[in-house]
Each structure stands twice: as C-alpha cells, then as structure tokens.
Amino acid sequence: MKYAIIREDGKTEIREDSYPLQTGAIELTNIEYDQLCSGQYILSNGQIIVNPNPPKELGAA
Amino acid sequence: MSSVVIAGDTSGTVTLSAPAVSGTTTLTLPATTGTVLTNASQLVGTGTATNDSAAAGYVGEYVASTIAYGSAVTTGVAGTNTSITSISLTAGDWDVSGVFTFEGTGAISTLNWAMAGGASSLSLTSATQGVAIVTPMNNAVWTLVGIGFAIPTLRWSVSSTTTVYLVARVAGSGGGTIGWGQIRARRIR
C-alpha cells in the first residue's frame, strides 16, 4: 500500500509497505506515489499540486 | 480423517490432479507455529505476474519511506547526525538500502564530507557498517546543485520489530544544507 503521512514537523513522508493503513494516512495511487517521490509535486492541504520550488536541474542556477 | 499420508518409492512423483471445474489448485499446509516446509533440492516457482505486493511477513515484503525535495530536512554543515526518515521492520531477515541527496542553502565556503546510512539510532559514524561517504574535490561545484549518492545494501537480521533510520551528516563551514532521500527494505527470508 502506498500512502503519505504528514509528520509532526510538517514534513511529508511518502511510504510503501504492507502494514495496516495508519490513522491520518493519505492513500496514494501508483501515479501519485511516483509524482510525490519525484519532488516535482507536493502534498498541500490534502491535494497533490505541482511543486512551485522543484528540485534544480543540473546546470541550473 | 486427521491426516493423509502420501507414500511411494524415492523417485516417485506426487501429482495433484486439476480440479474438475475451472479454478485454482491449492495445497494448504497446517499454519500452526513451527510448521516448516523443507525442500532439500532446488525450489522452482514463479514470481508474481502483476504489480501487486507481498503480504506482511512473507518473503518479498517491501517497506519504503521517502522524503522528497519538497520536504527536505535541514542537515546543516556542522557534521551533526540527522534523521531524514525511517522504516519499521518486523522480525526477520531484511536487505536494506537507500539514497541520500543534499544541496547547499547558502554560501558554503568548505565542504569536507557527507555521509549517510541506515542505523537503529542517530549514532551513525564513518565506521558504521554500510555507511556511504562522499568527499568533494571541488567545493564550488556543489554549492548550487546537490550531490546524491546511493547507500549500499546491508543485511538487517532482527529478532523483534526494529526502526531503521536514514541518518545523514554533512560537515563543512559556511551556509547550510538540506537533505532528502529514501530508505527501503525487502524481506529476503
């Protein structure tokens, strides 16, 4: 099962395991999981949105 | 009937007949504690034929936790151990590996080294088994774009539920760093 949880420090953990879904976890589709792991998308207010500050590309300032 | 005994000569073959109607043939063994199916010869079987996952407790079980760039953790430059994320492994024999990436968040004057690895606490050192270490040859190269490196596979044989942290340290001076990455485990047996 793929899911995301918001930690107490506000960071989003993107997780995959076969354990029972934790309280407060947001279940993800395969596509959503890949989007979040790429860093190109983030979780904001329960919605997956384009990351306005994505990882830098090589050579970019 | 409490049991069925299958007997034959030592070179014989036991064949389960296909069901009379369409269905799956299943051989169910007792699930009581201590039941072990032993095969002293080569074991041949197919893997899954789709994108499903092994159930908890079964060989092939997969556990992973990722912190992506958008949730990067402050790792600084003071050489302080920092937990990026963690996974919980139930008793068993696991292969654990990972990846860690970091980048500068200001004017880094010196980068001495960075290391990351799996650890059961924040006690990661360069002597920790399986730790990955990088030492840049040109400090100016990495100040704008991050450095990422793989954490090699390490066996974790645990007798009870154990938390394995992805721990990272970055040492240098000036500015700061943020880090992100993934730690994952596969139950190998």
Side-chain angles (χ1 to χ4, degrees), chain A residues 1-6 12-17 21 24-38 41-44 46-49, chain B residues 64 66:
Chain A
M1 183 178 299
K2 296 174 178 176
Y3 59 97
I5 56 172
I6 309 299
T12 301
E13 280 191 356
I14 310 152
R15 307 185 68 93
E16 178 179 5
D17 55 48
L21 200 61
I26 302 166
E27 193 168 353
L28 303 172
T29 65
N30 289 336
I31 292 173
E32 290 170 337
Y33 179 88
D34 291 343
Q35 286 177 331
L36 290 176
C37 285
S38 74
Y41 293 79
I42 59 173
L43 197 58
S44 177
Q47 301 294 317
I48 295 173
I49 63 171
Chain B
T66 303

PDB file of all heavy atoms in Angstrom, chain A residues 1-6 12-17 21 24-38 41-44 46-49, chain B residues 64 66:
ATOM      1  N   MET A   1       0.836  -1.194   0.000  1.00  0.00           N
ATOM      2  CA  MET A   1       0.000   0.000   0.000  1.00  0.00           C
ATOM      3  C   MET A   1       0.875   1.250   0.000  1.00  0.00           C
ATOM      4  O   MET A   1       1.859   1.326   0.723  1.00  0.00           O
ATOM      5  CB  MET A   1      -0.891  -0.006   1.240  1.00  0.00           C
ATOM      6  CG  MET A   1      -1.857   1.151   1.315  1.00  0.00           C
ATOM      7  SD  MET A   1      -2.900   1.023   2.759  1.00  0.00           S
ATOM      8  CE  MET A   1      -3.747  -0.521   2.444  1.00  0.00           C
ATOM      9  N   LYS A   2       0.527   2.184  -0.835  1.00  0.00           N
ATOM     10  CA  LYS A   2       1.295   3.421  -0.929  1.00  0.00           C
ATOM     11  C   LYS A   2       0.489   4.546  -0.294  1.00  0.00           C
ATOM     12  O   LYS A   2      -0.697   4.683  -0.560  1.00  0.00           O
ATOM     13  CB  LYS A   2       1.617   3.716  -2.388  1.00  0.00           C
ATOM     14  CG  LYS A   2       2.513   2.653  -3.010  1.00  0.00           C
ATOM     15  CD  LYS A   2       2.722   2.852  -4.483  1.00  0.00           C
ATOM     16  CE  LYS A   2       3.672   1.774  -5.022  1.00  0.00           C
ATOM     17  NZ  LYS A   2       3.845   1.849  -6.473  1.00  0.00           N
ATOM     18  N   TYR A   3       1.150   5.348   0.510  1.00  0.00           N
ATOM     19  CA  TYR A   3       0.427   6.392   1.226  1.00  0.00           C
ATOM     20  C   TYR A   3       1.384   7.506   1.650  1.00  0.00           C
ATOM     21  O   TYR A   3       2.614   7.340   1.594  1.00  0.00           O
ATOM     22  CB  TYR A   3      -0.296   5.821   2.447  1.00  0.00           C
ATOM     23  CG  TYR A   3       0.587   5.142   3.464  1.00  0.00           C
ATOM     24  CD1 TYR A   3       1.034   5.829   4.586  1.00  0.00           C
ATOM     25  CD2 TYR A   3       0.979   3.829   3.309  1.00  0.00           C
ATOM     26  CE1 TYR A   3       1.838   5.216   5.529  1.00  0.00           C
ATOM     27  CE2 TYR A   3       1.795   3.205   4.241  1.00  0.00           C
ATOM     28  CZ  TYR A   3       2.221   3.897   5.347  1.00  0.00           C
ATOM     29  OH  TYR A   3       3.038   3.279   6.271  1.00  0.00           O
ATOM     30  N   ALA A   4       0.822   8.594   2.054  1.00  0.00           N
ATOM     31  CA  ALA A   4       1.609   9.718   2.566  1.00  0.00           C
ATOM     32  C   ALA A   4       1.110  10.055   3.962  1.00  0.00           C
ATOM     33  O   ALA A   4      -0.076   9.909   4.264  1.00  0.00           O
ATOM     34  CB  ALA A   4       1.464  10.931   1.648  1.00  0.00           C
ATOM     35  N   ILE A   5       2.042  10.470   4.795  1.00  0.00           N
ATOM     36  CA  ILE A   5       1.677  10.939   6.128  1.00  0.00           C
ATOM     37  C   ILE A   5       2.389  12.261   6.380  1.00  0.00           C
ATOM     38  O   ILE A   5       3.481  12.499   5.868  1.00  0.00           O
ATOM     39  CB  ILE A   5       2.053   9.927   7.238  1.00  0.00           C
ATOM     40  CG1 ILE A   5       3.545   9.590   7.197  1.00  0.00           C
ATOM     41  CG2 ILE A   5       1.222   8.662   7.126  1.00  0.00           C
ATOM     42  CD1 ILE A   5       4.000   8.767   8.376  1.00  0.00           C
ATOM     43  N   ILE A   6       1.731  13.112   7.123  1.00  0.00           N
ATOM     44  CA  ILE A   6       2.340  14.392   7.494  1.00  0.00           C
ATOM     45  C   ILE A   6       2.926  14.231   8.890  1.00  0.00           C
ATOM     46  O   ILE A   6       2.215  13.940   9.848  1.00  0.00           O
ATOM     47  CB  ILE A   6       1.303  15.531   7.487  1.00  0.00           C
ATOM     48  CG1 ILE A   6       0.533  15.549   6.164  1.00  0.00           C
ATOM     49  CG2 ILE A   6       1.992  16.874   7.734  1.00  0.00           C
ATOM     50  CD1 ILE A   6       1.375  15.778   4.959  1.00  0.00           C
ATOM     51  N   THR A  12       6.384  15.809   4.722  1.00  0.00           N
ATOM     52  CA  THR A  12       5.565  14.750   4.143  1.00  0.00           C
ATOM     53  C   THR A  12       6.407  13.503   3.925  1.00  0.00           C
ATOM     54  O   THR A  12       7.419  13.555   3.221  1.00  0.00           O
ATOM     55  CB  THR A  12       4.973  15.191   2.791  1.00  0.00           C
ATOM     56  OG1 THR A  12       4.175  16.361   2.995  1.00  0.00           O
ATOM     57  CG2 THR A  12       4.114  14.092   2.185  1.00  0.00           C
ATOM     58  N   GLU A  13       6.039  12.404   4.529  1.00  0.00           N
ATOM     59  CA  GLU A  13       6.705  11.126   4.287  1.00  0.00           C
ATOM     60  C   GLU A  13       5.857  10.341   3.294  1.00  0.00           C
ATOM     61  O   GLU A  13       4.649  10.196   3.470  1.00  0.00           O
ATOM     62  CB  GLU A  13       6.849  10.311   5.581  1.00  0.00           C
ATOM     63  CG  GLU A  13       8.007  10.742   6.441  1.00  0.00           C
ATOM     64  CD  GLU A  13       8.284   9.771   7.572  1.00  0.00           C
ATOM     65  OE1 GLU A  13       7.520   8.792   7.728  1.00  0.00           O
ATOM     66  OE2 GLU A  13       9.254   9.997   8.312  1.00  0.00           O
ATOM     67  N   ILE A  14       6.513   9.827   2.274  1.00  0.00           N
ATOM     68  CA  ILE A  14       5.831   9.037   1.255  1.00  0.00           C
ATOM     69  C   ILE A  14       6.238   7.594   1.500  1.00  0.00           C
ATOM     70  O   ILE A  14       7.433   7.266   1.429  1.00  0.00           O
ATOM     71  CB  ILE A  14       6.249   9.496  -0.153  1.00  0.00           C
ATOM     72  CG1 ILE A  14       6.109  11.015  -0.261  1.00  0.00           C
ATOM     73  CG2 ILE A  14       5.433   8.792  -1.221  1.00  0.00           C
ATOM     74  CD1 ILE A  14       7.060  11.638  -1.239  1.00  0.00           C
ATOM     75  N   ARG A  15       5.293   6.739   1.805  1.00  0.00           N
ATOM     76  CA  ARG A  15       5.651   5.416   2.304  1.00  0.00           C
ATOM     77  C   ARG A  15       4.988   4.318   1.495  1.00  0.00           C
ATOM     78  O   ARG A  15       3.946   4.514   0.859  1.00  0.00           O
ATOM     79  CB  ARG A  15       5.238   5.288   3.781  1.00  0.00           C
ATOM     80  CG  ARG A  15       5.772   6.407   4.673  1.00  0.00           C
ATOM     81  CD  ARG A  15       5.431   6.173   6.122  1.00  0.00           C
ATOM     82  NE  ARG A  15       6.142   5.044   6.665  1.00  0.00           N
ATOM     83  CZ  ARG A  15       7.314   5.124   7.300  1.00  0.00           C
ATOM     84  NH1 ARG A  15       7.869   6.302   7.498  1.00  0.00           N
ATOM     85  NH2 ARG A  15       7.905   4.057   7.754  1.00  0.00           N
ATOM     86  N   GLU A  16       5.620   3.152   1.542  1.00  0.00           N
ATOM     87  CA  GLU A  16       5.040   1.958   0.932  1.00  0.00           C
ATOM     88  C   GLU A  16       5.344   0.772   1.837  1.00  0.00           C
ATOM     89  O   GLU A  16       6.491   0.544   2.219  1.00  0.00           O
ATOM     90  CB  GLU A  16       5.628   1.702  -0.456  1.00  0.00           C
ATOM     91  CG  GLU A  16       5.067   0.428  -1.089  1.00  0.00           C
ATOM     92  CD  GLU A  16       5.603   0.151  -2.483  1.00  0.00           C
ATOM     93  OE1 GLU A  16       6.495   0.901  -2.940  1.00  0.00           O
ATOM     94  OE2 GLU A  16       5.134  -0.805  -3.104  1.00  0.00           O
ATOM     95  N   ASP A  17       4.328   0.031   2.205  1.00  0.00           N
ATOM     96  CA  ASP A  17       4.509  -1.190   2.974  1.00  0.00           C
ATOM     97  C   ASP A  17       3.212  -1.985   2.954  1.00  0.00           C
ATOM     98  O   ASP A  17       2.233  -1.581   2.311  1.00  0.00           O
ATOM     99  CB  ASP A  17       4.967  -0.879   4.418  1.00  0.00           C
ATOM    100  CG  ASP A  17       4.031   0.070   5.139  1.00  0.00           C
ATOM    101  OD1 ASP A  17       2.821  -0.165   5.095  1.00  0.00           O
ATOM    102  OD2 ASP A  17       4.515   1.053   5.754  1.00  0.00           O
ATOM    103  N   LEU A  21      -3.147   0.505   7.204  1.00  0.00           N
ATOM    104  CA  LEU A  21      -3.024   1.944   6.984  1.00  0.00           C
ATOM    105  C   LEU A  21      -3.122   2.703   8.304  1.00  0.00           C
ATOM    106  O   LEU A  21      -4.026   2.475   9.101  1.00  0.00           O
ATOM    107  CB  LEU A  21      -4.133   2.408   6.029  1.00  0.00           C
ATOM    108  CG  LEU A  21      -3.919   3.740   5.319  1.00  0.00           C
ATOM    109  CD1 LEU A  21      -2.676   3.686   4.442  1.00  0.00           C
ATOM    110  CD2 LEU A  21      -5.138   4.085   4.473  1.00  0.00           C
ATOM    111  N   GLY A  24      -4.847   8.823   9.693  1.00  0.00           N
ATOM    112  CA  GLY A  24      -4.398  10.079   9.113  1.00  0.00           C
ATOM    113  C   GLY A  24      -3.610   9.933   7.831  1.00  0.00           C
ATOM    114  O   GLY A  24      -3.269  10.930   7.195  1.00  0.00           O
ATOM    115  N   ALA A  25      -3.318   8.693   7.444  1.00  0.00           N
ATOM    116  CA  ALA A  25      -2.556   8.481   6.214  1.00  0.00           C
ATOM    117  C   ALA A  25      -3.428   8.756   4.994  1.00  0.00           C
ATOM    118  O   ALA A  25      -4.642   8.554   5.019  1.00  0.00           O
ATOM    119  CB  ALA A  25      -2.027   7.052   6.168  1.00  0.00           C
ATOM    120  N   ILE A  26      -2.795   9.220   3.949  1.00  0.00           N
ATOM    121  CA  ILE A  26      -3.491   9.517   2.690  1.00  0.00           C
ATOM    122  C   ILE A  26      -3.043   8.479   1.675  1.00  0.00           C
ATOM    123  O   ILE A  26      -1.881   8.454   1.266  1.00  0.00           O
ATOM    124  CB  ILE A  26      -3.139  10.936   2.202  1.00  0.00           C
ATOM    125  CG1 ILE A  26      -3.521  11.967   3.270  1.00  0.00           C
ATOM    126  CG2 ILE A  26      -3.822  11.240   0.873  1.00  0.00           C
ATOM    127  CD1 ILE A  26      -2.923  13.337   3.047  1.00  0.00           C
ATOM    128  N   GLU A  27      -3.955   7.604   1.284  1.00  0.00           N
ATOM    129  CA  GLU A  27      -3.596   6.540   0.345  1.00  0.00           C
ATOM    130  C   GLU A  27      -3.320   7.131  -1.035  1.00  0.00           C
ATOM    131  O   GLU A  27      -4.011   8.059  -1.474  1.00  0.00           O
ATOM    132  CB  GLU A  27      -4.716   5.502   0.282  1.00  0.00           C
ATOM    133  CG  GLU A  27      -4.301   4.226  -0.423  1.00  0.00           C
ATOM    134  CD  GLU A  27      -5.311   3.101  -0.229  1.00  0.00           C
ATOM    135  OE1 GLU A  27      -6.262   3.284   0.551  1.00  0.00           O
ATOM    136  OE2 GLU A  27      -5.124   2.050  -0.861  1.00  0.00           O
ATOM    137  N   LEU A  28      -2.308   6.587  -1.706  1.00  0.00           N
ATOM    138  CA  LEU A  28      -1.876   7.118  -2.995  1.00  0.00           C
ATOM    139  C   LEU A  28      -2.015   6.062  -4.081  1.00  0.00           C
ATOM    140  O   LEU A  28      -1.801   4.874  -3.836  1.00  0.00           O
ATOM    141  CB  LEU A  28      -0.412   7.564  -2.928  1.00  0.00           C
ATOM    142  CG  LEU A  28      -0.027   8.598  -1.868  1.00  0.00           C
ATOM    143  CD1 LEU A  28       1.489   8.760  -1.827  1.00  0.00           C
ATOM    144  CD2 LEU A  28      -0.702   9.931  -2.142  1.00  0.00           C
ATOM    145  N   THR A  29      -2.327   6.512  -5.291  1.00  0.00           N
ATOM    146  CA  THR A  29      -2.252   5.628  -6.447  1.00  0.00           C
ATOM    147  C   THR A  29      -0.778   5.499  -6.836  1.00  0.00           C
ATOM    148  O   THR A  29       0.077   6.264  -6.362  1.00  0.00           O
ATOM    149  CB  THR A  29      -3.039   6.185  -7.632  1.00  0.00           C
ATOM    150  OG1 THR A  29      -2.413   7.408  -8.052  1.00  0.00           O
ATOM    151  CG2 THR A  29      -4.493   6.471  -7.248  1.00  0.00           C
ATOM    152  N   ASN A  30      -0.481   4.570  -7.733  1.00  0.00           N
ATOM    153  CA  ASN A  30       0.897   4.417  -8.194  1.00  0.00           C
ATOM    154  C   ASN A  30       1.406   5.711  -8.824  1.00  0.00           C
ATOM    155  O   ASN A  30       2.554   6.121  -8.615  1.00  0.00           O
ATOM    156  CB  ASN A  30       0.991   3.274  -9.215  1.00  0.00           C
ATOM    157  CG  ASN A  30       0.800   1.914  -8.579  1.00  0.00           C
ATOM    158  OD1 ASN A  30       1.034   1.751  -7.384  1.00  0.00           O
ATOM    159  ND2 ASN A  30       0.364   0.948  -9.360  1.00  0.00           N
ATOM    160  N   ILE A  31       0.547   6.355  -9.598  1.00  0.00           N
ATOM    161  CA  ILE A  31       0.947   7.601 -10.267  1.00  0.00           C
ATOM    162  C   ILE A  31       1.200   8.700  -9.238  1.00  0.00           C
ATOM    163  O   ILE A  31       2.211   9.406  -9.305  1.00  0.00           O
ATOM    164  CB  ILE A  31      -0.140   8.039 -11.276  1.00  0.00           C
ATOM    165  CG1 ILE A  31      -0.194   7.040 -12.432  1.00  0.00           C
ATOM    166  CG2 ILE A  31       0.120   9.455 -11.791  1.00  0.00           C
ATOM    167  CD1 ILE A  31      -1.329   7.277 -13.409  1.00  0.00           C
ATOM    168  N   GLU A  32       0.330   8.821  -8.272  1.00  0.00           N
ATOM    169  CA  GLU A  32       0.503   9.856  -7.247  1.00  0.00           C
ATOM    170  C   GLU A  32       1.776   9.606  -6.446  1.00  0.00           C
ATOM    171  O   GLU A  32       2.509  10.540  -6.098  1.00  0.00           O
ATOM    172  CB  GLU A  32      -0.715   9.880  -6.324  1.00  0.00           C
ATOM    173  CG  GLU A  32      -1.974  10.402  -7.002  1.00  0.00           C
ATOM    174  CD  GLU A  32      -3.221  10.196  -6.158  1.00  0.00           C
ATOM    175  OE1 GLU A  32      -3.224   9.289  -5.283  1.00  0.00           O
ATOM    176  OE2 GLU A  32      -4.203  10.916  -6.372  1.00  0.00           O
ATOM    177  N   TYR A  33       2.040   8.339  -6.148  1.00  0.00           N
ATOM    178  CA  TYR A  33       3.248   7.977  -5.396  1.00  0.00           C
ATOM    179  C   TYR A  33       4.495   8.423  -6.171  1.00  0.00           C
ATOM    180  O   TYR A  33       5.400   9.048  -5.620  1.00  0.00           O
ATOM    181  CB  TYR A  33       3.248   6.465  -5.169  1.00  0.00           C
ATOM    182  CG  TYR A  33       4.440   5.917  -4.433  1.00  0.00           C
ATOM    183  CD1 TYR A  33       4.455   5.860  -3.039  1.00  0.00           C
ATOM    184  CD2 TYR A  33       5.553   5.436  -5.125  1.00  0.00           C
ATOM    185  CE1 TYR A  33       5.540   5.338  -2.359  1.00  0.00           C
ATOM    186  CE2 TYR A  33       6.638   4.913  -4.440  1.00  0.00           C
ATOM    187  CZ  TYR A  33       6.632   4.860  -3.065  1.00  0.00           C
ATOM    188  OH  TYR A  33       7.704   4.341  -2.393  1.00  0.00           O
ATOM    189  N   ASP A  34       4.521   8.104  -7.462  1.00  0.00           N
ATOM    190  CA  ASP A  34       5.679   8.472  -8.279  1.00  0.00           C
ATOM    191  C   ASP A  34       5.812   9.988  -8.392  1.00  0.00           C
ATOM    192  O   ASP A  34       6.920  10.532  -8.377  1.00  0.00           O
ATOM    193  CB  ASP A  34       5.557   7.844  -9.674  1.00  0.00           C
ATOM    194  CG  ASP A  34       5.709   6.330  -9.634  1.00  0.00           C
ATOM    195  OD1 ASP A  34       6.225   5.811  -8.623  1.00  0.00           O
ATOM    196  OD2 ASP A  34       5.300   5.673 -10.613  1.00  0.00           O
ATOM    197  N   GLN A  35       4.672  10.664  -8.513  1.00  0.00           N
ATOM    198  CA  GLN A  35       4.712  12.131  -8.612  1.00  0.00           C
ATOM    199  C   GLN A  35       5.326  12.746  -7.358  1.00  0.00           C
ATOM    200  O   GLN A  35       6.178  13.636  -7.435  1.00  0.00           O
ATOM    201  CB  GLN A  35       3.294  12.681  -8.816  1.00  0.00           C
ATOM    202  CG  GLN A  35       2.723  12.450 -10.208  1.00  0.00           C
ATOM    203  CD  GLN A  35       1.296  12.944 -10.332  1.00  0.00           C
ATOM    204  OE1 GLN A  35       0.552  12.959  -9.351  1.00  0.00           O
ATOM    205  NE2 GLN A  35       0.900  13.326 -11.529  1.00  0.00           N
ATOM    206  N   LEU A  36       4.902  12.275  -6.208  1.00  0.00           N
ATOM    207  CA  LEU A  36       5.406  12.845  -4.956  1.00  0.00           C
ATOM    208  C   LEU A  36       6.875  12.500  -4.741  1.00  0.00           C
ATOM    209  O   LEU A  36       7.662  13.345  -4.300  1.00  0.00           O
ATOM    210  CB  LEU A  36       4.561  12.373  -3.780  1.00  0.00           C
ATOM    211  CG  LEU A  36       3.129  12.931  -3.711  1.00  0.00           C
ATOM    212  CD1 LEU A  36       2.365  12.311  -2.542  1.00  0.00           C
ATOM    213  CD2 LEU A  36       3.147  14.452  -3.567  1.00  0.00           C
ATOM    214  N   CYS A  37       7.249  11.255  -5.052  1.00  0.00           N
ATOM    215  CA  CYS A  37       8.649  10.856  -4.848  1.00  0.00           C
ATOM    216  C   CYS A  37       9.584  11.641  -5.769  1.00  0.00           C
ATOM    217  O   CYS A  37      10.752  11.841  -5.443  1.00  0.00           O
ATOM    218  CB  CYS A  37       8.823   9.362  -5.089  1.00  0.00           C
ATOM    219  SG  CYS A  37       8.181   8.316  -3.761  1.00  0.00           S
ATOM    220  N   SER A  38       9.092  12.077  -6.910  1.00  0.00           N
ATOM    221  CA  SER A  38       9.949  12.795  -7.849  1.00  0.00           C
ATOM    222  C   SER A  38      10.326  14.179  -7.332  1.00  0.00           C
ATOM    223  O   SER A  38      11.304  14.772  -7.791  1.00  0.00           O
ATOM    224  CB  SER A  38       9.232  12.954  -9.194  1.00  0.00           C
ATOM    225  OG  SER A  38       8.211  13.943  -9.099  1.00  0.00           O
ATOM    226  N   TYR A  41       6.071  17.255  -7.483  1.00  0.00           N
ATOM    227  CA  TYR A  41       4.745  17.527  -6.917  1.00  0.00           C
ATOM    228  C   TYR A  41       4.856  17.475  -5.397  1.00  0.00           C
ATOM    229  O   TYR A  41       5.733  16.806  -4.847  1.00  0.00           O
ATOM    230  CB  TYR A  41       3.719  16.483  -7.390  1.00  0.00           C
ATOM    231  CG  TYR A  41       3.408  16.552  -8.862  1.00  0.00           C
ATOM    232  CD1 TYR A  41       4.285  16.001  -9.797  1.00  0.00           C
ATOM    233  CD2 TYR A  41       2.249  17.159  -9.326  1.00  0.00           C
ATOM    234  CE1 TYR A  41       4.017  16.063 -11.155  1.00  0.00           C
ATOM    235  CE2 TYR A  41       1.967  17.222 -10.684  1.00  0.00           C
ATOM    236  CZ  TYR A  41       2.857  16.667 -11.589  1.00  0.00           C
ATOM    237  OH  TYR A  41       2.581  16.741 -12.932  1.00  0.00           O
ATOM    238  N   ILE A  42       3.956  18.169  -4.750  1.00  0.00           N
ATOM    239  CA  ILE A  42       3.913  18.150  -3.292  1.00  0.00           C
ATOM    240  C   ILE A  42       2.476  17.960  -2.832  1.00  0.00           C
ATOM    241  O   ILE A  42       1.529  18.118  -3.615  1.00  0.00           O
ATOM    242  CB  ILE A  42       4.484  19.449  -2.680  1.00  0.00           C
ATOM    243  CG1 ILE A  42       3.686  20.669  -3.179  1.00  0.00           C
ATOM    244  CG2 ILE A  42       5.965  19.584  -2.966  1.00  0.00           C
ATOM    245  CD1 ILE A  42       4.065  21.967  -2.497  1.00  0.00           C
ATOM    246  N   LEU A  43       2.339  17.612  -1.571  1.00  0.00           N
ATOM    247  CA  LEU A  43       1.021  17.482  -0.964  1.00  0.00           C
ATOM    248  C   LEU A  43       0.712  18.781  -0.232  1.00  0.00           C
ATOM    249  O   LEU A  43       1.479  19.217   0.630  1.00  0.00           O
ATOM    250  CB  LEU A  43       1.045  16.299   0.011  1.00  0.00           C
ATOM    251  CG  LEU A  43      -0.283  15.717   0.473  1.00  0.00           C
ATOM    252  CD1 LEU A  43      -1.116  15.236  -0.703  1.00  0.00           C
ATOM    253  CD2 LEU A  43      -0.013  14.568   1.432  1.00  0.00           C
ATOM    254  N   SER A  44      -0.398  19.402  -0.593  1.00  0.00           N
ATOM    255  CA  SER A  44      -0.777  20.665   0.030  1.00  0.00           C
ATOM    256  C   SER A  44      -2.256  20.626   0.368  1.00  0.00           C
ATOM    257  O   SER A  44      -3.098  20.478  -0.532  1.00  0.00           O
ATOM    258  CB  SER A  44      -0.474  21.835  -0.925  1.00  0.00           C
ATOM    259  OG  SER A  44      -0.909  23.059  -0.355  1.00  0.00           O
ATOM    260  N   GLY A  46      -3.999  18.320   1.565  1.00  0.00           N
ATOM    261  CA  GLY A  46      -4.603  17.063   1.128  1.00  0.00           C
ATOM    262  C   GLY A  46      -4.663  16.883  -0.372  1.00  0.00           C
ATOM    263  O   GLY A  46      -5.144  15.863  -0.860  1.00  0.00           O
ATOM    264  N   GLN A  47      -4.185  17.873  -1.126  1.00  0.00           N
ATOM    265  CA  GLN A  47      -4.214  17.792  -2.585  1.00  0.00           C
ATOM    266  C   GLN A  47      -2.787  17.696  -3.121  1.00  0.00           C
ATOM    267  O   GLN A  47      -1.863  18.294  -2.553  1.00  0.00           O
ATOM    268  CB  GLN A  47      -4.895  19.031  -3.177  1.00  0.00           C
ATOM    269  CG  GLN A  47      -6.326  19.248  -2.706  1.00  0.00           C
ATOM    270  CD  GLN A  47      -7.268  18.152  -3.189  1.00  0.00           C
ATOM    271  OE1 GLN A  47      -7.220  17.734  -4.333  1.00  0.00           O
ATOM    272  NE2 GLN A  47      -8.117  17.669  -2.279  1.00  0.00           N
ATOM    273  N   ILE A  48      -2.619  16.967  -4.221  1.00  0.00           N
ATOM    274  CA  ILE A  48      -1.313  16.879  -4.869  1.00  0.00           C
ATOM    275  C   ILE A  48      -1.235  17.983  -5.917  1.00  0.00           C
ATOM    276  O   ILE A  48      -2.043  18.033  -6.844  1.00  0.00           O
ATOM    277  CB  ILE A  48      -1.115  15.491  -5.501  1.00  0.00           C
ATOM    278  CG1 ILE A  48      -1.084  14.436  -4.395  1.00  0.00           C
ATOM    279  CG2 ILE A  48       0.178  15.450  -6.319  1.00  0.00           C
ATOM    280  CD1 ILE A  48      -1.059  13.028  -4.891  1.00  0.00           C
ATOM    281  N   ILE A  49      -0.280  18.870  -5.731  1.00  0.00           N
ATOM    282  CA  ILE A  49      -0.138  20.018  -6.636  1.00  0.00           C
ATOM    283  C   ILE A  49       1.303  20.069  -7.150  1.00  0.00           C
ATOM    284  O   ILE A  49       2.204  19.450  -6.586  1.00  0.00           O
ATOM    285  CB  ILE A  49      -0.482  21.350  -5.937  1.00  0.00           C
ATOM    286  CG1 ILE A  49       0.505  21.614  -4.780  1.00  0.00           C
ATOM    287  CG2 ILE A  49      -1.913  21.330  -5.417  1.00  0.00           C
ATOM    288  CD1 ILE A  49       0.379  23.005  -4.168  1.00  0.00           C
TER     289      ILE A  49
ATOM    290  N   ALA B  64       9.186   0.933   2.416  1.00  0.00           N
ATOM    291  CA  ALA B  64       9.981   2.082   1.972  1.00  0.00           C
ATOM    292  C   ALA B  64       9.407   3.364   2.544  1.00  0.00           C
ATOM    293  O   ALA B  64       8.206   3.479   2.775  1.00  0.00           O
ATOM    294  CB  ALA B  64      10.002   2.163   0.447  1.00  0.00           C
ATOM    295  N   THR B  66      10.069   7.681   1.893  1.00  0.00           N
ATOM    296  CA  THR B  66      10.754   8.682   1.073  1.00  0.00           C
ATOM    297  C   THR B  66      10.474  10.080   1.603  1.00  0.00           C
ATOM    298  O   THR B  66       9.341  10.400   1.952  1.00  0.00           O
ATOM    299  CB  THR B  66      10.253   8.610  -0.388  1.00  0.00           C
ATOM    300  OG1 THR B  66      10.456   7.289  -0.876  1.00  0.00           O
ATOM    301  CG2 THR B  66      10.980   9.606  -1.270  1.00  0.00           C
TER     302      THR B  66
END
